[in-house]
Amino acid sequence: MTEKFSTKKLLFKAYLWNMFGKLIVRSLGIISTLILVRLLDPKDFGIVAIGILIIGFFEVLSNAGVNRYLILQPSPSDDDYNAAWTINIFLRTVLNIILILLASSAARLFENPELETVIYIMCLTEFFYSFRNIGMVKLEKELNYQKENKVLILAKILSFCACLTAAYYFRNYYALLIGNIVNVIISIIGSYMVVSYRPKFNFKFQAEMFSYSKFLLFRNIVSYIRSQMDILLVGKRFGDVATGQFSVARQFSAMPQSELVSPAMQPIFSGLAKFKSEPAKLMANSIQVLQLGYLFLAPCALGLLAVAEPFTLVVLGEKWLPVKDFIGVLALLMIIFITQSVITTLYDANNKIKYSMFGDFAGIVLLATGFIYYSVNSVTEFAYLRVFVGAINFCFIIYFAKIFVELPVKKVLEVLMLPLSLSLAMYYFLMLLKPYFYSYPSAVELFLTVFFGFTIYVLLLLLFSILIRIFIKGGEFNLLIDSLPISVLKRLK
């Protein structure tokens, strides 16, 4: 009983620290982006987005998944940590050299000479980052996020200052690169300051580590292609400006998930990993996490769809106005992202990594097929295609999970239907109210829509919860209380 209480307490504390740290880091990131979108052009964001796309792919190739392997192991030795650190450095070094040799070809492929310089700088940054202290994984394994988040916050504050200073001076994409360099340098130094562990080179690798890592590496490659394929297609078809617009729209449309839900997923993965030997508890807790995610993300997605125009004008500015046509549509993808994230954890905990790639394969094939056979003439049309493909892929994801990890599909649909139905009702009421807000300035229109949307959703949720408790006593839909963040985390036991 004491051990269970200790685990719950650690998990809850880890969630709070991760939420607190990510909140500060992301808040600075949002403020930085809000300033940068007014100082830089969409083309600058497009160049860096393509650079990140290319570098990110090679970073995925260099990520053998050894960190995740260490977290899943009950008691990894120092030799395991040293071997993992060595593998990371070796792979990143080799792949960065290859990418440097291919930089000029990539610049010609995207018809952008400036991209070559961007790739050189990013390769150097990635090389240095490979020396980050592997001891940070020990903190994550122990659900100790306090020290890690202190490093993240310090790195973000300094990179925030460096990025904005460079933006005022250069007024181009150099600002984004300089901010990233400062962030990486502080992260590396900080990792050795907060952790006493000192890694050493160790070339004696366990066969089990490679066996686990090879499937995880391949999955990471497939997953990255699936997640970044839309940026690649937009970049090739519509150019730098459209790529910058799409990249920024995608970033802001996913903020409810990336800023509030994702911080919880890291400690939750570490917590769920403790229940590998208890499949029933693992599945029940995973469904509860999905329940919480849907309850929060569904109204956010439909809400952003309702306030797309005033949100774009107030938050991004007039030069980003074309984004209003698709930023709300892209927000619907959050429902799919949270589903895939939780299901991936189930695959990992059940040691069925190779089967987790099927959903990503389906997503790649569906998007490529749609892009080829459907005549996409604008970024807006592409965004609608992306969401349509995502909806179909959602069906594949839960179908494959039903087969390979015995996911209760009916239960997943049940916990999705309530928040989705209430969010659709909220959206309908907002559309009825929208004509009354047009005469107000954009900032007031945004505030009123958000206020009424939040109020309507909460009232509908309260009403539904009361009706369920009255007419279905002892039923499984005690969602109002059971889906609160604290309740979900406390019940991960």
Side-chain angles (χ1 to χ4, degrees):
M1 182 68 182
T2 303
E3 184 179 351
K4 289 182 178 180
F5 177 77
S6 178
T7 299
K8 291 190 291 181
K9 186 177 179 181
L10 276 174
L11 187 58
F12 182 58
K13 185 178 180 181
Y15 172 80
L16 290 181
W17 260 109
N18 216 35
M19 178 69 77
F20 173 71
K22 293 294 191 298
L23 180 63
I24 294 178
V25 170
R26 297 298 191 179
S27 296
L28 289 173
I30 293 171
I31 295 171
S32 175
T33 303
L34 290 176
I35 296 174
L36 290 173
V37 293
R38 285 164 171 76
L39 294 175
L40 308 181
D41 293 325
K43 180 180 179 181
D44 295 313
F45 284 90
I47 293 172
V48 174
I50 295 173
I52 291 174
L53 169 68
I54 297 171
I55 291 291
F57 178 69
F58 278 80
E59 184 179 354
V60 167
L61 290 176
S62 67
N63 182 8
V66 289
N67 290 6
R68 204 171 180 94
Y69 168 83
L70 293 173
I71 292 174
L72 288 172
Q73 295 309 301
S75 301
S77 64
D78 285 353
D79 286 339
D80 291 331
Y81 281 100
N82 291 335
W85 186 70
T86 304
I87 290 173
N88 282 335
I89 293 175
F90 176 75
L91 287 176
R92 284 178 183 267
T93 301
V94 171
L95 290 168
N96 277 325
I97 292 173
I98 295 173
L99 186 52
I100 287 173
L101 296 175
L102 296 175
S104 59
S105 299
R108 287 195 297 271
L109 175 65
F110 286 93
E111 300 177 354
N112 192 328
E114 295 171 303
L115 185 60
E116 185 174 355
T117 303
V118 172
I119 292 175
Y120 288 149
I121 295 173
M122 287 186 166
C123 280
L124 184 63
T125 306
E126 286 297 316
F127 170 73
F128 285 120
Y129 190 72
S130 64
F131 287 89
R132 182 175 179 264
N133 194 344
I134 194 71
M136 298 295 282
V137 178
K138 286 190 173 186
L139 297 180
E140 184 177 345
K141 188 174 179 63
E142 296 166 359
L143 298 177
N144 182 359
Y145 288 89
Q146 182 175 351
K147 293 181 179 180
E148 181 180 3
N149 278 287
K150 286 180 179 179
V151 175
L152 289 175
I153 292 170
L154 178 62
K156 190 60 183 181
I157 291 174
L158 295 179
S159 65
F160 171 84
C161 297
C163 184
L164 294 187
T165 302
Y168 277 107
Y169 183 78
F170 293 108
R171 297 291 174 127
N172 62 21
Y173 61 87
Y174 287 171
L176 300 171
L177 298 177
I178 291 172
N180 186 48
I181 292 171
V182 173
N183 191 296
V184 166
I185 292 174
I186 301 302
S187 296
I188 296 170
I189 296 173
S191 70
Y192 286 90
M193 293 179 65
V194 300
V195 180
S196 60
Y197 182 79
R198 292 295 178 262
K200 301 175 183 178
F201 285 103
N202 178 18
F203 294 94
K204 297 179 180 179
F205 310 129
Q206 289 189 16
E208 185 183 358
M209 182 182 293
F210 267 111
S211 176
Y212 176 88
S213 299
K214 66 182 179 182
F215 288 117
L216 190 57
L217 173 61
F218 190 57
R219 184 185 73 185
N220 288 342
I221 294 172
V222 175
S223 179
Y224 186 78
I225 293 174
R226 189 263 311 156
S227 65
Q228 300 298 323
M229 193 175 178
D230 47 6
I231 293 289
L232 176 64
L233 294 176
V234 170
K236 280 297 294 175
R237 174 68 65 90
F238 302 109
D240 294 338
V241 174
T243 304
Q245 292 172 342
F246 186 85
S247 176
V248 170
R250 194 176 72 163
Q251 176 187 352
F252 276 89
S253 67
M255 274 187 176
Q257 182 194 1
S258 61
E259 314 311 321
L260 295 173
V261 176
S262 292
M265 294 308 299
Q266 193 175 4
I268 283 174
F269 170 73
S270 300
L272 290 177
K274 299 180 182 295
F275 309 129
K276 291 176 63 176
S277 59
E278 301 177 85
K281 277 189 177 181
L282 177 66
M283 185 62 70
N285 291 327
S286 298
I287 294 297
Q288 289 168 5
V289 173
L290 273 178
Q291 189 178 40
L292 169 63
Y294 292 151
L295 190 71
F296 177 72
L297 293 178
C300 289
L302 273 297
L304 185 55
L305 187 62
V307 300
E309 184 171 351
F311 178 88
T312 303
L313 287 170
V314 174
V315 177
L316 301 179
E318 288 189 7
K319 66 181 176 181
W320 294 87
L321 194 56
V323 165
K324 71 178 176 59
D325 296 327
F326 54 87
I327 189 171
V329 177
L330 292 175
L332 298 173
L333 292 172
M334 289 190 291
I335 296 173
I336 302 164
F337 294 157
I338 183 64
T339 305
Q340 189 157 27
S341 177
V342 173
I343 289 177
T344 297
T345 300
L346 282 173
Y347 279 116
D348 292 353
N350 285 281
N351 294 321
K352 295 184 177 181
I353 298 173
K354 58 184 177 182
Y355 300 116
S356 65
M357 294 181 281
F358 287 9
D360 288 322
F361 273 124
I364 293 171
V365 172
L366 287 169
L367 185 57
T369 303
F371 189 77
I372 292 171
Y373 289 100
Y374 178 73
S375 180
V376 179
N377 299 314
S378 67
V379 181
T380 301
E381 290 184 5
F382 178 82
Y384 278 94
L385 172 65
R386 177 71 183 88
V387 173
F388 177 71
V389 167
I392 298 176
N393 194 39
F394 173 84
C395 300
F396 280 104
I397 290 170
I398 60 174
Y399 174 73
F400 291 136
K402 180 181 185 298
I403 295 175
F404 297 117
V405 294
E406 299 181 1
L407 180 75
V409 175
K410 181 181 177 182
K411 184 68 175 177
V412 172
L413 295 179
E414 284 177 353
V415 299
L416 172 61
M417 283 303 105
L418 171 67
L420 187 58
S421 300
L422 298 184
S423 299
L424 287 170
M426 175 199 72
Y427 179 79
Y428 173 75
F429 283 120
L430 289 179
M431 291 300 99
L432 293 179
L433 293 172
K434 198 169 185 178
Y436 298 100
F437 300 152
Y438 277 138
S439 59
Y440 295 102
S442 297
V444 178
E445 180 185 354
L446 177 61
F447 172 79
L448 290 174
T449 309
V450 171
F451 173 77
F452 279 101
F454 174 79
T455 304
I456 291 170
Y457 181 75
V458 171
L459 290 176
L460 289 173
L461 188 59
L462 281 169
L463 177 62
F464 187 88
S465 179
I466 292 170
L467 292 175
I468 287 296
R469 288 168 186 261
I470 293 175
F471 295 105
I472 312 180
K473 293 182 180 180
E476 55 184 323
F477 286 111
N478 291 321
L479 295 178
L480 181 61
I481 295 176
D482 291 347
S483 292
L484 292 175
I486 294 177
S487 299
V488 170
L489 288 167
K490 282 185 175 179
R491 286 183 287 117
L492 286 174
K493 59 184 180 179

